[in-house]
Amino acid sequence: DAEGEEEEYGDSGFELTEVKEAACQAMVHLAMQNHENKLAIVRCPGVLEALRDLLADSSHPDSQDTAAMVVANCADNFAAGGGEEAAQIIVATRGILPALGSLVSQSVVSFTDSADRSAGLAAVISLSDHAAIIEKLRSAGFIESLGCMLQSEGRGKEYDSMRAEALMAVANLLLEVHSLKGDHKV
């Protein structure tokens, strides 16, 4: 319950938010380059709904970013495989794409050189590597969200790196890559 979320968790002194963050950090590591773990995470009842809720909670940006990295590592297909099936389960979770889209949009507004807000972008890149879900990502408005990122400039090298990653994701989402128009500086 949202009202009790900041209450202490038992006698440990941890707040529930810290417990959720620690659980997400554990899932980030478990899903990394491990086919069985990434599938176990996305198949576990309630996990994706909890991640969706964390992605949507802008009052805890660290938890948002860590939840996005869980999505990114589960959907990643390069190191251990299993990402395609995990990605399909992820995008089938009600509300997860709008929450992720909102995080990506926030990263344009809230980015500073000292704050890495590209975890949502990493999740989109991992998801966009799977042809079976590209249309769902397009329909959810990710090309437009990422386009805003591509149009923002003059924020420093870290942001330019994030813009280059956004360009990668947009290229994955476009039907025809040659139709991509962007800033030559990216």
Side-chain angles (χ1 to χ4, degrees):
D1 120 31
E3 197 175 319
E5 196 164 312
E6 293 303 322
E7 292 180 20
E8 286 192 9
Y9 187 74
D11 294 330
S12 66
F14 286 109
E15 291 182 1
L16 187 52
T17 302
E18 292 170 327
V19 172
K20 290 177 184 179
E21 171 74 16
C24 281
Q25 288 174 358
M27 286 188 284
V28 165
H29 295 288
L30 287 169
M32 190 180 301
Q33 301 179 3
N34 189 304
H35 177 126
E36 291 82 19
N37 286 349
K38 64 178 68 177
L39 291 175
I41 289 167
V42 300
R43 290 176 181 159
C44 184
V47 168
L48 290 174
E49 291 78 8
L51 290 172
R52 174 204 57 216
D53 294 346
L54 290 170
L55 287 168
D57 184 3
S58 61
S59 65
H60 298 288
D62 289 340
S63 295
Q64 277 184 302
D65 291 345
T66 308
M69 286 310 302
V70 174
V71 170
N73 284 356
C74 285
D76 179 61
N77 210 30
F78 293 110
E84 175 122 19
E85 183 180 346
Q88 290 178 356
I89 295 168
I90 291 165
V91 300
T93 302
R94 176 188 253 171
I96 205 160
L97 289 181
L100 186 56
S102 179
L103 179 61
V104 169
S105 295
Q106 287 173 27
S107 68
V108 174
V109 179
S110 65
F111 182 86
T112 64
D113 281 339
S114 61
D116 180 9
R117 298 289 290 159
S118 62
L121 179 57
V124 174
I125 290 169
S126 290
L127 290 168
S128 72
D129 283 334
H130 305 289
I133 62 169
I134 295 274
E135 189 53 44
K136 289 181 182 180
L137 296 172
R138 283 189 201 121
S139 297
F142 282 99
I143 291 176
E144 293 78 10
S145 297
L146 296 167
C148 291
M149 215 176 261
L150 292 175
Q151 300 306 316
S152 300
E153 58 180 285
R155 293 183 167 183
K157 289 181 182 183
E158 285 184 45
Y159 194 85
D160 287 343
S161 173
M162 197 163 89
R163 288 174 61 216
E165 291 173 356
L167 182 62
M168 249 189 333
V170 169
N172 287 347
L173 295 174
L174 288 175
L175 292 173
E176 298 179 25
V177 177
H178 71 271
S179 67
L180 181 63
K181 294 181 175 113
D183 184 342
H184 69 281
K185 294 179 261 178
V186 174

